[in-house]
Amino acid sequence: MPVIVHKSDDHVIDVNRAFADLLGYSLPEARTLGPRQFVHPSLIEEHDRGHTQLINGEQLGLSADVDLVRKDGGVIRVKVNKSVARHNAETVVMTVIEGVAQQG
């Protein structure tokens, strides 16, 4: 399953190979991306709103269908589940992609 873990400021901590492959990047390239670079531009406001709710503790988890932009410019619709973990003063968001709903 594709997974990305990033800090509250969207700085990527790590991604797995499945995530990189899904978006058409090499693993080192994928590790330099932030969500704002692969979430479809039409969904950035929605992404930011959900992200803020997770970080602020207003929600414990979030599930949604999201359009992602691949390296080649293609758009895929995926089902994501996001959760937050807190360790000491650091907050991280883990996003697991459960499946591709539609490729375009």
Side-chain angles (χ1 to χ4, degrees), residues 21-81:
D21 290 347
L22 178 70
L23 294 182
Y25 290 94
S26 69
L27 197 50
E29 287 175 318
R31 288 182 173 141
T32 67
L33 299 174
R36 298 177 78 64
Q37 294 168 283
F38 56 80
V39 171
H40 193 277
S42 67
L43 298 175
I44 290 295
E45 284 185 36
E46 183 179 335
H47 167 269
D48 290 350
R49 191 170 33 257
H51 181 78
T52 299
Q53 291 173 344
L54 285 170
I55 296 301
N56 290 342
E58 298 169 34
Q59 290 187 355
L60 298 177
L62 182 66
S63 232
D65 288 337
V66 178
D67 292 335
L68 302 180
V69 180
R70 294 177 39 85
K71 182 179 180 179
D72 65 9
V75 177
I76 55 174
R77 174 154 287 205
V78 298
K79 174 77 170 180
V80 300
N81 284 310

Side-chain angles (χ1 to χ4, degrees), residues 4-8 10-13 35 51 91-95:
I4 180 172
V5 178
H6 59 88
K7 294 182 181 182
S8 58
D10 277 350
H11 176 81
V12 173
I13 296 170
H51 181 78
T91 299
V92 297
V93 177
M94 181 173 74
T95 302

